[in-house]
Amino acid sequence: MSQKNLFTRSFGKDPPVILCISLYRRLLPSPHSLSPMASPPPPASAAAAAAHSVFVYGTLMSEEVVRVLLGRVPPSSPALLPNHQRFSIRGRVYPAILPVDGNEVSGRVFKGITDGELDVLDIFEDEEYVRETVGVSLTDSSETMLAFAYIWGNVDDPDLYDEWDFDEWKKVHLKDYLTMTQDFKEELEQLESKTDD
């Protein structure tokens, strides 16, 4: 099997959304389970050591999508990411963010993400995004914290335009996106079961 496995899902009249599983090699030696609900939770000390925070600003703000991907919805808080802007991407139903001074992106911070769950998010976000550590402000407590965020890798991408609208996405694309996400998760679990054999 090639390192880069493409899954194409069509969204009715909209252009197809392409999911790249670019971290296939990384998945092979992984000791982490991609199905956290299938095994007992790690000891509290191990769970605390492996806990990550992830700022989400697009389709992952939907709890339904997160539940399909991770098998649970981790605790979260509303948050703002300063000096960034969210964009629509021509031909795609999900957004991108890039650093832009003076702007801010609203989203959520999921807390307590395990190493295995972070692997799933990395694969889902694919190679067009770069996972970076960013500073965010929690809007429900005014606390600031560091979290991972998936930043669009191509700062000069001509397909980026206008602000992406979460509410509009939910109305128009959520149902089909959930189906695509479920298919993605099933393919990922099949891949993992083959690597365990």
Side-chain angles (χ1 to χ4, degrees):
M1 177 177 239
S2 68
Q3 177 184 354
K4 188 173 181 182
N5 188 3
L6 298 177
F7 297 95
T8 303
R9 301 288 181 240
S10 178
F11 283 84
K13 296 178 184 175
D14 293 327
V17 173
I18 296 175
L19 270 195
C20 297
I21 297 187
S22 61
L23 299 176
Y24 175 72
R25 254 187 329 168
R26 182 175 163 194
L27 181 61
L28 287 176
S30 176
H32 308 295
S33 169
L34 292 178
S35 180
M37 301 304 284
S39 59
S45 60
H52 305 281
S53 296
V54 178
F55 175 78
V56 297
Y57 55 85
T59 61
L60 293 176
M61 290 193 299
S62 164
E63 289 187 354
E64 297 96 327
V65 172
V66 172
R67 186 174 288 109
V68 169
L69 279 177
L70 304 183
R72 70 181 186 110
V73 178
S76 68
S77 297
L80 291 173
L81 174 61
N83 297 314
H84 285 74
Q85 183 173 343
R86 179 177 26 224
F87 295 94
S88 293
I89 309 169
R90 199 168 325 283
R92 315 220 188 158
V93 299
Y94 50 86
I97 60 172
L98 286 173
V100 176
D101 285 339
N103 289 15
E104 63 184 13
V105 174
S106 62
R108 299 197 69 76
V109 171
F110 285 107
K111 302 170 188 174
I113 300 291
T114 67
D115 288 341
E117 291 169 337
L118 192 61
D119 286 344
V120 171
L121 294 175
D122 284 348
I123 295 167
F124 187 72
E125 293 294 349
D126 84 45
E127 65 189 14
E128 292 180 305
Y129 292 90
V130 178
R131 179 170 31 106
E132 295 182 9
T133 302
V134 297
V136 296
S137 299
L138 304 183
T139 59
D140 59 357
S141 69
S142 300
E143 175 188 351
T144 59
M145 64 181 296
L146 295 177
F148 290 127
Y150 293 92
I151 311 296
W152 194 246
N154 182 357
V155 297
D156 298 318
D157 191 334
D159 290 328
L160 300 182
Y161 70 100
D162 296 338
E163 175 73 19
W164 184 82
D165 186 307
F166 179 66
D167 292 327
E168 179 69 16
W169 173 83
K170 279 175 46 176
K171 287 181 205 170
V172 176
H173 299 290
L174 177 59
K175 183 180 177 189
D176 290 334
Y177 200 84
L178 282 170
T179 300
M180 182 276 305
T181 304
Q182 183 63 48
D183 291 347
F184 167 86
K185 183 65 175 177
E186 288 170 6
E187 295 274 350
L188 198 57
E189 288 171 346
Q190 288 174 5
L191 180 62
E192 181 194 37
S193 70
K194 288 178 184 177
T195 61
D196 290 342
D197 293 340

